[in-house]
Amino acid sequence: MTFVMGPALLFCPADRPERYQKAATRTDAVILDLEDAVAPGDKQRARGAILAQVGATGDVPELEPTRTIVRINPAGTEEFEKDLHCLAHTPYRTVMLAKAETAEQLEALEGYHVVALCETALGVLNAPAIAAAPNVVALMWGAEDLLATLGGTSSRKDGGGYRDVALHARSSVLLAARAFGKEAIDAVYVNIPDLAGLAAEAADAVASGFSSKACIHPSQAAVVRGAYAPSEAEVAAAAALLRAASAAGSGVFQYNGKMIDGPILKHAEAVIRRAGEHV
């Protein structure tokens, strides 16, 4: 199973069906949220909204299943069981498991492609085992819920950068995902008006190896897409480097005064690949 959604993934409260199409047109994939974005008393109505738009025009759902993720409530809760009952009557088969903490929790999601959201201390520590689960296609980390489980008050310093413990969790989840050949999704940027800060963080996500980044507002999607789309100059430079490597015909060679080896060529290949994805 391969996760190909992204790079911009937009959360949409599942109890706001009037926003479904707007979200779909502004981003690469929609995350219908049955967890934190929905008040406890509205969760049943949210599930009803998902069911109502499935088959609203015949057998075709309003949202394309290959571009839709449903964030479900944590395993072991009553709401989790209700979410699964709802999903059984839909074509949506990619779910995001909120507060994923153990590999055993994934067994209840057999038949689904799972994005495991590691946002508790236990979830981050168990990220490698979670990533190894066969039905997991991607890992995502969450900063604010994580800090809450630690008894903290904020994931970021006054200057806007992450605290060390949040950076450790971010790196741990990324490493675990990539170690087992799974995709990694970067956490949301909660300061919605600060698009410059989002752009810088998204650029770092690209450079670090995250395949996508989650958004909480439609205005953020274009910024994330822009970060993942290489510039014409970057594509031209990468293509020239790969041509030089082909002409050199050796494992290590000099190019523009620099030593070039395998890892650097992989960086160039990644730029070309991302360019192809944004054509």
Side-chain angles (χ1 to χ4, degrees):
M1 296 180 288
T2 303
F3 182 79
V4 296
M5 300 185 199
L9 311 175
L10 178 60
F11 279 100
C12 178
D15 62 342
R16 300 298 300 272
E18 73 278 8
R19 297 183 182 180
Y20 288 5
Q21 272 305 312
K22 180 180 179 181
T25 59
R26 297 288 292 274
T27 190
D28 298 301
V30 177
I31 306 171
L32 292 179
D33 193 358
L34 286 169
E35 197 224 6
D36 282 347
V38 181
D42 293 330
K43 289 187 184 292
Q44 191 58 38
R45 182 165 62 86
R47 286 185 283 265
I50 292 177
L51 290 171
Q53 59 87 37
V54 173
T57 55
D59 293 328
V60 180
E62 182 179 347
L63 294 176
E64 169 58 50
T66 61
R67 297 181 57 233
T68 304
I69 303 166
V70 180
R71 177 159 76 164
I72 58 177
N73 287 278
T77 65
E78 182 179 349
E79 299 297 344
F80 172 83
E81 298 299 333
K82 291 179 179 179
D83 291 345
L84 291 189
H85 180 74
C86 168
L87 288 174
H89 299 281
T90 77
Y92 303 129
R93 287 299 175 267
T94 301
V95 300
M96 176 180 288
L97 178 60
K99 299 174 178 62
E101 293 190 321
T102 68
E104 289 72 24
Q105 293 174 339
L106 283 304
E107 296 174 3
L109 293 170
E110 184 179 359
Y112 290 95
H113 297 178
V114 182
V115 177
L117 179 49
C118 300
E119 52 184 343
T120 68
L122 184 58
V124 171
L125 290 178
N126 284 335
I130 293 170
N135 56 339
V136 167
V137 294
L139 262 60
M140 178 177 163
W141 78 290
E144 299 311 321
D145 277 286
L146 171 64
L147 265 293
T149 69
L150 299 177
T153 58
S154 173
S155 66
R156 295 181 185 268
K157 303 175 183 177
D158 291 341
Y162 279 122
R163 299 186 187 281
D164 289 347
V165 67
L167 288 175
H168 175 76
R170 184 178 190 241
S171 298
S172 296
V173 171
L174 172 61
L175 289 168
R178 292 310 194 185
F180 289 92
K182 309 299 173 67
E183 301 299 328
I185 303 169
D186 199 20
V188 299
Y189 192 81
V190 297
N191 189 350
I192 296 173
D194 183 17
L195 296 182
L198 170 63
E201 189 165 289
D204 181 75
V206 175
S208 298
F210 286 95
S211 59
S212 52
K213 185 169 181 63
C215 306
I216 56 173
H217 190 274
S219 64
Q220 295 181 324
V223 176
V224 170
R225 281 174 161 173
Y228 276 86
S231 67
E232 292 184 5
E234 290 173 325
V235 173
L241 176 58
L242 293 174
R243 287 195 298 270
S246 179
S250 60
V252 179
F253 65 100
Q254 286 192 20
Y255 179 75
N256 288 344
K258 297 181 180 179
M259 185 196 78
I260 305 298
D261 58 6
I264 294 177
L265 294 179
K266 287 186 180 297
H267 296 165
E269 290 169 354
V271 169
I272 299 299
R273 183 171 60 254
R274 285 192 287 112
E277 293 170 350
H278 288 81
V279 172

